[in-house]
Every structure is written in C-alpha cells, then in structure tokens.
Amino acid sequence: MPIRLTNSLTRAKEEFVPLDPANVRMYVCGPTVYDFAHIGNARPAIVFDVLFRLLRHEYGDAHVTYVRNITDVDDKINARAAEIAANSGMSVEQARAELTATTERQYIEDVTALGCLPPTVSPRATQHIGEMIALIEQLIADGHAYAADGHVLFDVASDPGYGKLSRRSTDDMIAGARVEVAPYKKGAMDFVLWKPSDDATPGWDSPWGRGRPGWHIECSAMAGKYLGDTFDIHGGGIDLQFPHHENEIAQSECAHHKPYVKMWLHNGFLQVEGEKMSKSQGNFFTIRELLADWPGEVLRFNMLRTHYRQPIDFTFAGLRESWKMLERWYAVTEPLANPAPDAVFLDALRDDLNTPAAIAALHQADDLALAGGLGFLGFSNVQMKIAAKTEVDTVAIADAITARNAARKAKNFAESDRIRDELLAKGIVLKDTPQGTTWEVKR
Ligand code: AMP
Ligand code: ZN
C-alpha cells in the first residue's frame, strides 16, 4: 500500500510519490530557541518523527533527508538577550549566542526523551545569513523585492500565486498577518525580508546596511540549500500555514521559478484541558516539567492517540489513561531488538499517518507484532519500567502525613520538607488547611 497524505495545498489526501525515491526530502519548521519548549511544540516534533520513521522504513534509512531548522535570531530572542546582557558583562550578541545554544541543547534533550530521532540536518539561521542575503538579492534582481529605509520587503503584488496555500481573501490575510503599517511599504501585505539593526541589536553586514533577516526568509534559504529548489514534504503546525508558509512559497517560487514543495502537512493545535495554553492561565506546561513526572514514552504515546490533523485536548486524565495502556502492553509483550512492524499497523500509518488506527491495530496484534509496533513508534526496545506512579497507596500517604506532622511539631522542618517532597515526586500534593493536612494527586 502506498503512503497517502493530506496535502494542505490541495486540501486532498494524495498518494505520496517522491520526486526522487533515492532521496526523499522533508523540511519541518523547528523551534525558536529562547526558552524551554512547551507541550504544544512537542506535537510537530513527534508527528514528523513518525513520518520520518515511516519514510525511512519505506525508502531506506539512507534515502530520506529530514531538515528541521533552529531559529536562533528573532526579536523575542533579542529581547531576552538584551535582558541577560543588562544583568551580566556580556554583549547582546554574546548573550544571544549563549541563550540560543543552551536552549537548543535543552530542546534536543527534550525531544530525544520523547523518542524523536535526530533530523538529518538541524541548520541554525545565523549560520546561513549569506544564503539569505543571496536569495534576497535574487528577488530584488527579479523585481519581487525592494529596498526601502534600511529594510528589504517582498512585493506581494508581484507574485500572482500569492495566497494559494491559505486561500484567504486579502482582508483575512491582512488581519491574519497582523500587518504592520509602515511608510516604507508599497503594499499592506508586503513582508520583511531584511531589517536594520541598531548597535545594541544583533546584526550582520549586508548590501542594505547592518541588519538581520526577517523570519520567513530563513526557511526558504535553508530548505533550498539542503533540499534543492523543489522538494517533497514541508511540515509544521497549522498556525504556520499563514503567513509563514505562504511567504516561504512566495519567496522560493519567485526566486527559482519552480514549485517549492509538493506536499504541505500541518499538525493541529494542542490545547490544555479545553483552553488555549497560556502562562497567565496557569495551564502552560513545558516538556521539561512534564518529563519530571511522566515517562517520555507516555507523553509520546498520548500525543499519537489523536490523529495529527485534529486538535488535541491535552488532559492529565488522558495522560494517566495512556500510561495505563502502555503498562498493560508491556505486561504482555517482550520487546525485540530489531522488531519488524506489523502489516496492519503499517498500513494505518501509510493512510495519512493514522496513528489512532495504528494503535488500535496494536491492541489486536500478537506479542511479536506488538513489539514491532512499539519499536516503530519510537519506544525503547528495552522493557520500560513504568512505575505505577499514579497508583495511589492511601495507607502509605496517611502514614507519611502523620510522620510529617510529627516532624513539624518537633520543628524538624528539614524532615517535614523531605517527606513532602518525597510525596510530590510520587505525584501527591499535600495541602495544609485549618482542618488538617489533605492530599491530592497532581494533575
Ligand atoms: P515556535 O517555536 O513557536 O516557532 O513553534 C515551533 C513549532 O511548534 C511550530 O511548528 C508550531 O506550529 C508548533 N506549535 C506551537 N504551539 C503549538 C500548539 N499549541 N499545538 C501544536 N503545535 C504547536
Ligand atoms: Zn519555517
């Protein structure tokens, strides 16, 4: 059975036919590195890792190139770097370099814990400024971009194909892009390819003065460098479809006069307990903090129980259920060193990465095929020791609370804190109330 994927460009499920089966090429927009990645950022990492693994299975490990970039220059990064620089002896550029290197390392640790293979290439934007400048120069030479006031802008009116991915009206596009009104712009939709940097902002020399790239141009430049003018698959979260991916298409197709990407894939958004994740709502979770309480396998498996195109409602009840499901499987299966995936399981994945159907196939499979499936999902081949952290032993908790209260009475706060932390590590949160100490299972 061939692989079929839903192409956002055509809005249809299409058979995947690589341009060159000896080199299947995929680009996925990676993280902007200035802080720990959140559980929503984990979704494209996991979804496209499953696709990467499926492509490697079908075409051979050596015949798939997966590029996932690192955005290490950006105004949010620069703002954070300026804060760090103000509180240390570092220059803003030094602070930027250090912040992004540290955050990139953390990101790699996090997604590795989620069972994701390293991409073939993980290019950093700041190491491709030359390629971006060359691409911008090409666009200017062809009449698709113009320099104005230290900026270079893409001239949207020069591109008759603009809007083909998002299929929005101009009004919707203007609203969606949160268009900045600026005197140097010819058209409201024109977007920045290059912008000037003052002395206190990271910047690079260019034909238009010292400055830095706009966000969209980095992906066009790096995808072009590692995958060629036209490649097979481009992925990312649905929020990137417009304007980011629309603008990537415009830049690359106007510069190269060739189709940029055959198939666009977008993962749906993740919400937490039915709400948009936000720091002010208190429902914002980094991968790192979740990994303290939940095995990476459980987080990954939980994510894949929903089809990648659907929105996910991330809940702790769902996580606990996922943990239980994995525990039950591990109780009946013997993981193999080099498992061969089960045919039903594989066909489900070939059908637009239908991971819920693949998981259902695992439920039906015998032990051997089951292990194969688990390996394919990125789980370790060594039997996981998934401790029943969420199984509550109420008697043990009551004993611990009694011991803690005794310690507090004796003003032995080191001991009372130790007991509280020990329970917390097991997912039990203590609450001291006027009526006494109560406990609950951490969500
Ligand atoms: P960023 O670091 O914000 O550029 O995001 C990195 C990747 O995570 C992009 O592919 C985004 O589309 C994706 N992403 C961000 N937030 C979410 C979310 N809540 N659910 C699913 N994907 C997300
Ligand atoms: Zn991108």
Side-chain angles (χ1 to χ4, degrees):
M1 183 175 145
I3 296 178
R4 292 163 65 80
L5 298 169
T6 300
N7 186 354
S8 303
L9 198 57
T10 58
R11 307 284 197 271
K13 208 195 266 190
E14 295 169 1
E15 182 172 336
F16 174 68
V17 183
L19 293 156
D20 175 6
N23 185 17
V24 179
R25 287 160 288 161
M26 171 164 81
Y27 186 95
V28 175
C29 295
T32 304
V33 283
Y34 63 99
D35 209 344
F36 285 109
H38 59 66
I39 186 66
N41 301 132
R43 195 171 190 194
I46 293 171
V47 161
F48 292 104
D49 180 71
V50 171
L51 181 54
F52 182 39
R53 287 168 184 271
L54 178 64
L55 293 170
R56 281 160 60 104
H57 179 269
E58 308 286 284
Y59 296 96
D61 290 2
H63 301 292
V64 183
T65 306
Y66 170 24
V67 179
R68 184 180 64 207
N69 68 300
I70 299 285
T71 300
D72 62 348
V73 56
D74 157 277
D75 287 350
K76 285 187 291 260
I77 294 174
N78 292 345
R80 187 70 58 91
E83 269 172 43
I84 296 170
N87 297 317
S88 67
M90 277 188 270
S91 70
V92 177
E93 173 50 26
Q94 277 171 329
R96 186 205 62 74
E98 203 170 285
L99 169 68
T100 56
T102 304
T103 312
E104 178 184 335
R105 210 175 324 111
Q106 290 161 344
Y107 178 80
I108 292 166
E109 286 167 9
D110 287 349
V111 297
T112 302
L114 297 175
C116 299
L117 295 173
T120 323
V121 195
S122 299
R124 295 189 192 106
T126 54
Q127 290 174 352
H128 298 81
I129 302 285
E131 286 84 348
M132 296 183 218
I133 290 174
L135 190 58
I136 296 170
E137 285 184 311
Q138 175 75 50
L139 288 169
I140 294 176
D142 287 358
H144 290 295
Y146 56 94
D149 212 10
H151 294 70
V152 181
L153 289 120
F154 185 90
D155 184 352
V156 168
S158 77
D159 175 16
Y162 192 80
K164 67 179 164 190
L165 178 64
S166 52
R167 299 189 195 174
R168 293 172 177 223
S169 70
T170 313
D171 286 349
D172 286 349
M173 285 201 265
I174 290 174
R178 274 173 255 130
V179 161
E180 237 181 283
V181 187
Y184 48 79
K185 275 189 183 181
K186 281 205 247 174
M189 291 299 302
D190 294 357
F191 57 89
V192 168
L193 301 173
W194 188 265
K195 57 187 160 189
S197 290
D198 60 24
D199 290 345
T201 307
W204 290 263
D205 290 332
S206 82
W208 317 285
R210 187 173 170 280
R212 59 196 191 281
W215 169 36
H216 315 300
I217 196 74
E218 72 172 83
C219 287
S220 283
M222 292 188 279
K225 172 164 179 178
Y226 295 101
L227 300 176
D229 293 350
T230 306
F231 57 94
D232 298 295
I233 297 171
H234 193 313
I238 187 68
D239 58 317
L240 300 186
Q241 185 167 297
F242 185 84
H244 184 51
H245 291 160
E246 194 74 64
N247 292 354
E248 279 192 44
I249 296 175
Q251 295 161 158
S252 295
E253 297 197 345
C254 288
H256 302 133
H257 313 287
K258 287 181 203 156
Y260 178 43
V261 169
K262 266 183 87 172
M263 282 189 159
W264 285 90
L265 265 64
H266 292 103
N267 65 265
F269 238 49
L270 175 145
Q271 290 202 319
V272 173
E273 309 275 359
E275 309 255 359
K276 187 174 189 290
M277 208 180 346
S278 81
K279 288 198 169 140
S280 58
Q281 295 260 5
N283 66 349
F284 184 95
F285 297 101
T286 63
I287 302 172
R288 186 63 57 120
E289 66 190 329
L290 290 169
L291 282 170
D293 289 340
W294 303 88
E297 262 181 305
V298 172
L299 295 170
R300 180 183 178 99
F301 178 68
N302 185 63
M303 199 75 88
L304 295 174
R305 287 173 60 200
T306 306
H307 187 259
Y308 76 95
R309 287 172 47 80
Q310 298 298 320
I312 283 194
D313 189 25
F314 176 89
T315 66
F316 286 86
L319 263 190
R320 275 195 284 276
E321 206 175 279
S322 297
W323 192 330
K324 291 241 164 69
M325 283 170 76
L326 279 181
E327 267 179 346
R328 280 200 293 272
W329 283 355
Y330 277 117
V332 298
T333 190
E334 203 46 59
L336 303 175
N338 284 305
D342 171 74
V344 181
F345 173 84
L346 269 176
D347 279 349
L349 291 181
R350 289 178 183 125
D351 181 16
D352 200 21
L353 290 190
N354 194 340
T355 53
I359 289 167
L362 290 184
H363 275 306
Q364 321 255 308
D366 59 25
D367 287 5
L368 190 140
L370 174 57
L374 293 179
F376 202 86
L377 280 169
F379 302 149
S380 54
N381 290 323
V382 182
Q383 181 114 23
M384 274 282 303
K385 303 231 172 355
I386 302 180
K389 218 192 242 179
T390 50
E391 288 300 353
V392 179
D393 180 343
T394 49
V395 176
I397 294 170
D399 287 348
I401 290 176
T402 308
R404 177 170 169 268
N405 286 339
R408 289 168 81 201
K409 231 180 188 160
K411 300 211 184 312
N412 185 353
F413 296 117
E415 175 62 5
S416 63
D417 286 353
R418 190 195 62 76
I419 295 171
R420 188 200 55 211
D421 291 348
E422 197 176 279
L423 287 174
L424 194 60
K426 291 180 181 144
I428 306 298
V429 185
L430 296 188
K431 281 214 170 115
D432 296 315
T433 73
Q435 287 76 40
T437 305
T438 63
W439 60 269
E440 61 185 37
V441 179
K442 196 165 157 191
R443 291 192 317 144

